[in-house]
Amino acid sequence: MKLRTKSWLAVTAAAGMVLGGVSPALATGTAGPTEHTDMGVTGDAVMEHLQKISDISTAHAGEGFRSLGTPGYEEAVEYVEATLEATGAFDVERQAFEVEQQTFDTVDVRVDGEKVEVTPASLTEGTTEPLTDIPVALPVDDDYSDLAGGQLGCEAGDFDADAEGALVLVARGTCSFGEKTQAATDAGAAAVIIYNNDTANPDEALNATLGERIENGAPTAAVTYNVGSDLIAAVQEAAEGEALTADFTLETEFVTSKTWNVIAETKAGDHDNVQMFGAHLDGVAEGPGANDNGSGSAALLASAEALAEQPTEVDNAIRFGWWGAEEVGLVGSTKYVESLGESELGKIKAYMNFDMIGSDNYIVGTLDSDGSDVPIPDDVTVPEGSAELEKVFTDYFADIDQPNVGTDFSGRSDYQAFIDNGIPSSGLFSGADGTKTAEEAGMFGGTVGEKHDTNYHQPTDTIENVSQESLDIFAPAIGFAVHTLGYELAEEPTDPPTDPTDPPTSPSDPPTETPTDDPTDEPTERELSIDPQTIEAEAFVGDEGVQVTATGCTADTTATMTVDPQNGEIEKFEQTAEVGEDTAARFGVRGLEESKVESYIGTYAVTVDCEGGDPLTGSFEVVAAEEGPGAGGGGGGDLPRTGNEALPLVVSAGALIVLGVAMTLGSRRRRKS
């Protein structure tokens, strides 16, 4: 699907203000697109790759599906690599790293002799031996019904002497799970239970992660809101001097697993101006992870294939990342960002994240980087330019009348490491464990009160439960974003070309003269004209430029001009133009960046290759002010500017822009007249 050019020129320019950069190179001769498109990326194309990923996962069901350290994950990595390499358009790299992985053996918690259903916290320490007959204690708080205050256990001061050697109960909320465990450990607790704060889903299990191992930390497990409330009531009802007691066993082992990210970057494009798109490829051991996150991974593959089939090469390099070990703490994306030096990080101008796009009770969500729908958490810093990235999606959806909502920009997925390093970020999200509201149901359909993904982290996260309708909405949006960040637009010609299907008109009268036997004119002499041959740098980057005309070429053929800068600042480039009936091909060259005027000073060798004889050669020189005669002159009109060409934040030496297209259009108009 193509969108209206006029509305999208503004979006491209806005995004370019924070994302753009121009390398000291010359523009290529092939004209780029005049409007952004979704590149034909469809939900069906995504589903084809998702089926492959799903088949790999289910084939390894007995080995943990596609989770960290499994054969299923490695096979999925191989599938992604093979798909990308088959396009021939990308340099593909597998980045290896190690992750400390945790397994659990016996987990048994009993309070007053009754078994309590718990979920061990990820990265918790275990018990070296079973804890028996330890007291159960609460933090100091005057109201345990408000899920606030001291019962959150965010500081050691929230506990009194009763916590020493006890199993303590703390509520989810405000601070991280790791901070709760650290505070309880500092207070002398022997073990910790964190209970959920989801009163709307009181029987919802809590999967907590401590973020990192805590040295000598108290073993920690999590329970539902209802279980936590019952435990609090039991502690409060215990007779004075007869504290409730517990037995607590949590056996765990940490092993080191080797895993991988897959990174693919277009061979074409400006590699100092990288636009990045990512999705995590791993899943959880509980299920095949079709939606989480086979869907996002498959969408990147479909977009990469579509990009490889575009008729012109990208202007900005596109880099895709498939992350490993996301489900155990965003490890893969974090390792990748940490592996980049300051210089390489500076080349990444934008990051887009896609973590679940096929939820069965879906919403159409954009990561709300401008905070217009969902307030930005206090501990999240939003890099400048993120709002412009979100606008790529919101304007796209507005143009096709697709309702959408902003979702938490909280760092809960792989964009966290990028925003922590100041890289503008946004993305799309179809929903996970959030609950669908009546307003959302009115916008997207589905069931009010149910999770957005009713199969989240479950064995039922299968391809059969992925919403095709959701994929059909998200897939072209992702393709459109890739195209928008990859290409700078060229304007359409103001004069449409003559319809080639129209038959030529016949003259009303026969020729008045009979052709003579011999030609009356000598063939046009082959010659290369460069005007001026010496130009001051200030004129070269102004409205003036250098005009190159090759005469004596065969009419109605294509001529190629090659400019080979000798100053080391600018890259060699080619440009093509049509040869008119006057046997002339016309080109023009001028500097683009006035702020980098000195970088253009030097000699430029020019070669024009056209039918009708040997290549024509010459040169021109750009000099500092008053260095030589002939400064000034006329070089012809500019090519249409795209959004990124006029950016205030350009940081490179600048680029030369070719004027051959304008010259060619002029030749066509002369022939028609």
Side-chain angles (χ1 to χ4, degrees):
M1 178 184 64
K2 292 186 176 181
L3 300 182
R4 296 187 293 272
T5 303
K6 182 177 179 180
S7 64
W8 283 102
L9 287 174
V11 171
T12 303
M17 289 185 183
V18 293
L19 309 179
V22 183
S23 68
L26 296 178
T28 59
T30 305
T34 57
E35 59 185 354
H36 291 304
T37 80
D38 59 26
M39 303 189 298
V41 180
T42 64
D44 288 341
V46 173
M47 185 62 82
E48 287 183 17
H49 289 297
L50 183 54
Q51 185 67 63
K52 297 287 188 181
I53 294 172
S54 174
D55 290 346
I56 291 170
S57 299
T58 55
H60 295 280
E63 302 168 295
F65 295 99
R66 209 173 63 250
S67 60
L68 171 64
T70 63
Y73 181 74
E74 184 171 4
E75 189 173 336
V77 165
E78 292 168 349
Y79 172 70
V80 169
E81 290 173 327
T83 302
L84 294 165
E85 288 167 351
T87 68
F90 299 93
D91 291 319
V92 184
E93 173 190 0
R94 186 191 296 201
Q95 181 190 26
F97 59 95
E98 292 185 341
V99 182
E100 192 171 45
Q101 191 177 5
Q102 187 174 26
T103 59
F104 295 96
D105 192 2
T106 300
V107 178
D108 187 75
V109 178
R110 297 175 186 272
V111 176
D112 202 21
E114 296 291 327
K115 185 175 178 61
V116 178
E117 293 298 328
V118 302
T119 302
S122 175
L123 298 178
T124 180
E125 298 300 304
T127 53
T128 55
E129 58 184 26
L131 303 175
T132 57
D133 292 327
I134 61 174
V136 181
L138 301 176
V140 178
D141 194 272
D142 58 359
D143 182 1
Y144 291 96
S145 65
D146 61 2
L147 296 170
Q151 73 183 111
L152 295 171
C154 291
E155 299 177 3
D158 290 337
F159 302 92
D160 60 14
D162 291 341
E164 183 73 34
L167 167 62
V168 297
L169 309 177
V170 299
R172 178 187 187 181
T174 303
C175 60
S176 70
F177 300 123
E179 289 172 316
K180 295 175 188 295
T181 296
Q182 185 66 66
T185 300
D186 293 342
V192 181
I193 285 181
I194 303 173
Y195 52 94
N196 208 344
N197 60 358
D198 189 354
T199 57
N201 298 281
D203 293 315
E204 184 71 29
L206 174 59
N207 294 302
T209 178
L210 304 188
E212 61 183 1
R213 294 182 67 177
I214 297 173
E215 185 177 358
N216 299 316
T220 302
V223 298
T224 68
Y225 171 78
N226 273 342
V227 170
S229 297
D230 290 344
L231 290 174
I232 291 172
V235 173
Q236 293 174 325
E237 292 169 4
E240 186 175 350
E242 296 182 10
L244 206 64
T245 60
D247 299 326
F248 193 104
T249 300
L250 194 160
E251 296 178 347
T252 187
E253 181 182 7
F254 289 89
V255 295
T256 300
S257 297
K258 182 179 180 180
T259 191
W260 307 274
N261 296 322
V262 179
I263 310 297
E265 185 163 337
T266 52
K267 295 179 180 179
D270 181 357
H271 298 284
D272 288 329
N273 191 354
V274 176
Q275 314 292 328
M276 192 162 189
F277 298 79
H280 74 88
L281 182 59
D282 67 315
V284 295
E286 289 78 13
N291 185 40
D292 185 19
N293 182 36
S295 61
S297 294
L300 288 194
L301 285 174
S303 297
E305 288 183 323
L307 184 63
E309 295 171 357
Q310 294 307 294
T312 58
E313 294 182 338
V314 290
D315 297 298
N316 305 318
I318 297 294
R319 184 181 299 169
F320 294 104
W322 285 263
W323 310 120
E326 187 271 353
E327 296 289 3
V328 296
L330 313 179
V331 180
S333 54
T334 302
K335 291 280 189 182
Y336 175 73
V337 172
E338 288 176 349
S339 72
L340 302 175
E342 183 177 349
S343 175
E344 288 302 312
L345 273 175
K347 295 177 182 179
I348 302 176
K349 307 303 181 183
Y351 175 74
M352 296 283 211
N353 196 67
F354 307 103
D355 188 355
M356 304 169 63
I357 63 164
S359 306
D360 58 336
N361 198 28
Y362 72 89
I363 57 172
V364 179
T366 64
L367 294 185
D368 191 20
S369 49
D370 65 1
S372 57
D373 290 342
V374 183
I376 304 296
D378 292 338
D379 60 345
V380 174
T381 300
V382 182
E384 184 180 356
S386 298
E388 286 82 357
L389 285 178
E390 184 190 5
K391 194 173 188 297
V392 172
F393 293 118
T394 55
D395 283 3
Y396 167 82
F397 288 134
D399 202 81
I400 62 173
D401 298 322
Q402 171 60 56
N404 58 95
V405 295
T407 61
D408 291 350
F409 194 84
S410 59
R412 282 187 59 188
S413 193
D414 288 300
Y415 61 94
Q416 178 70 66
F418 291 88
I419 65 174
D420 284 348
N421 284 273
I423 296 173
S425 300
S426 190
L428 297 176
F429 180 49
S430 61
D433 53 355
T435 302
K436 176 159 281 188
T437 66
E439 182 181 7
E440 290 170 348
M443 299 171 73
F444 313 113
T447 305
V448 177
E450 293 283 347
K451 290 182 180 179
H452 296 134
D453 180 6
T454 63
N455 308 290
Y456 180 59
H457 284 189
Q458 302 296 321
T460 51
D461 186 7
T462 64
I463 194 168
E464 292 78 14
N465 289 326
V466 169
S467 168
Q468 179 70 56
E469 183 177 4
S470 183
L471 294 185
D472 290 340
I473 295 170
F474 282 93
I478 294 172
F480 184 86
V482 172
H483 194 277
T484 298
L485 298 191
Y487 287 95
E488 299 173 2
L489 295 182
E491 291 181 5
E492 297 186 46
T494 55
D495 295 331
T498 303
D499 188 345
T501 61
D502 292 341
T505 56
S506 300
S508 56
D509 298 316
T512 56
E513 296 181 7
T514 302
T516 59
D517 293 334
D518 299 317
T520 55
D521 296 324
E522 293 292 330
T524 305
E525 182 179 354
R526 289 176 64 81
E527 183 181 10
L528 184 67
S529 170
I530 300 176
D531 182 28
Q533 291 186 327
T534 302
I535 185 171
E536 287 186 1
E538 294 289 348
F540 189 60
V541 298
D543 294 331
E544 304 172 28
V546 175
Q547 188 177 70
V548 178
T549 304
T551 54
C553 304
T554 303
D556 298 323
T557 61
T558 299
T560 300
M561 176 183 68
T562 302
V563 177
D564 189 1
Q566 308 296 302
N567 63 354
E569 296 275 345
I570 311 298
E571 296 177 5
K572 181 177 179 180
F573 84 105
E574 290 185 351
Q575 169 71 344
T576 60
E578 273 191 35
V579 180
E581 293 180 2
D582 59 355
T583 77
R586 296 173 174 85
F587 307 86
V589 185
R590 63 183 292 272
L592 178 62
E593 288 301 320
E594 294 185 10
S595 63
K596 305 297 180 182
V597 62
E598 293 183 0
S599 64
Y600 296 108
I601 295 173
T603 301
Y604 296 78
V606 179
T607 301
V608 175
D609 193 359
C610 64
E611 292 187 20
D614 295 332
L616 301 167
T617 61
S619 66
F620 65 89
E621 185 178 10
V622 179
V623 299
E626 301 180 359
E627 270 194 19
D638 296 346
L639 270 183
R641 299 282 184 91
T642 63
N644 281 356
E645 290 173 349
L647 305 179
L649 301 185
V650 170
V651 297
S652 63
L656 290 181
I657 187 165
V658 182
L659 309 181
V661 171
M663 299 299 183
T664 302
L665 294 176
S667 297
R668 290 177 177 171
R669 287 194 289 269
R670 283 191 291 275
R671 291 205 302 273
K672 286 198 298 182
S673 61

